[in-house]
């Protein structure tokens, strides 16, 4: 390996790694959101067997280390299912499931925050369970859940740094490569940390604006 000082071009490499981290984060957040809300819907409708299965899966994913989950998917799934799994695929599968587990908990808490009297009143007025969920529960639950979801998003962005251990060339992986090449860990890891920090602040800022709009809308509706 040829050693050299940290240069401005290395910032371009870090930016490329950051783009991979952001793409993994966006993909897994979107998939996790869909899965988590679907699991919470199963809980709302209290579907027998499926509700217990969803709860078991969510509890397992929520209470086990993400790194262990990554290793199980990347190293264990190919052996178990006799299929090829790339590092990126393993990262997306693992982080999507992990994100879904936490979104499930947040969604369930948000749904349960809605007063039972409102749900019963909606049923009295002839709304079906689906109409009650869509028109009464969802708007209030969304306003309640947005704050915890923002915190979860910031945390999951940081969790993406773990995918570097299975070979995904993300921001952390690029940082490790540059650290070995330049032998300037303070500069390299400071730059990596600053990039993660800026992304986290951007998520928090956008999420804060969304939360303010949702809560203002809910207040205006008299919810």
């Amino acid at each position: 390996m040829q050693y050299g000082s940290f240069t401005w071009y290395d910032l371009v490499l870090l930016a490329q790694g950051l783009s991979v981290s952001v793409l993994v984060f966006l993909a897994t957040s979107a998939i996790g959101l869909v899965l988590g809300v679907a699991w919470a819907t199963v809980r709302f409708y209290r579907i027998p067997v499926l509700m217990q299965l969803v709860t078991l899966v969510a509890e397992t994913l929520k209470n086990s280390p993400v790194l262990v989950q990554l290793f199980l998917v990347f190293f264990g799934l190919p052996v178990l299912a006799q299929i090829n799994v790339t590092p990126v695929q393993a990262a997306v599968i693992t982080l999507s499931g992990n994100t879904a587990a936490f979104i499930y908990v947040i969604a369930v808490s948000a749904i349960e925050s809605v007063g039972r009297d409102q749900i019963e009143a909606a049923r009295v007025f002839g709304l079906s369970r689906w109409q009650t969920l869509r028109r009464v529960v969802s708007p209030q639950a969304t306003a309640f859940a947005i704050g915890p979801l923002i915190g979860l998003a910031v945390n999951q962005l940081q969790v993406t740094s773990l995918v570097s251990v299975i070979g995904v060339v993300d921001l952390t992986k690029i940082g490790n490569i540059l650290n070995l090449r330049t032998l300037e860990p303070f500069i390299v890891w400071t730059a990596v940390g600053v990039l993660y920090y800026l992304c986290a602040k951007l998520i928090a800022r956008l999420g804060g604006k969304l939360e303010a709009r949702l809560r203002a809308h809910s207040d205006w509706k008299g919810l």
Side-chain angles (χ1 to χ4, degrees), residues 47-68:
I47 301 175
V49 180
L50 193 56
M51 182 180 73
Q52 287 79 4
L53 178 61
V54 163
T55 301
L56 176 62
V57 172
E59 286 295 315
T60 302
L61 293 175
K62 181 171 66 73
N63 295 305
S64 59
V66 179
L67 194 57
V68 173

Side-chain angles (χ1 to χ4, degrees), residues 148-170:
L149 287 174
I150 295 169
L152 175 64
V154 172
N155 180 75
Q156 293 304 95
L157 172 66
Q158 298 166 358
V159 170
T160 60
S161 62
L162 295 176
V163 303
S164 62
V165 300
I166 60 172
V168 178
V169 188
D170 68 332

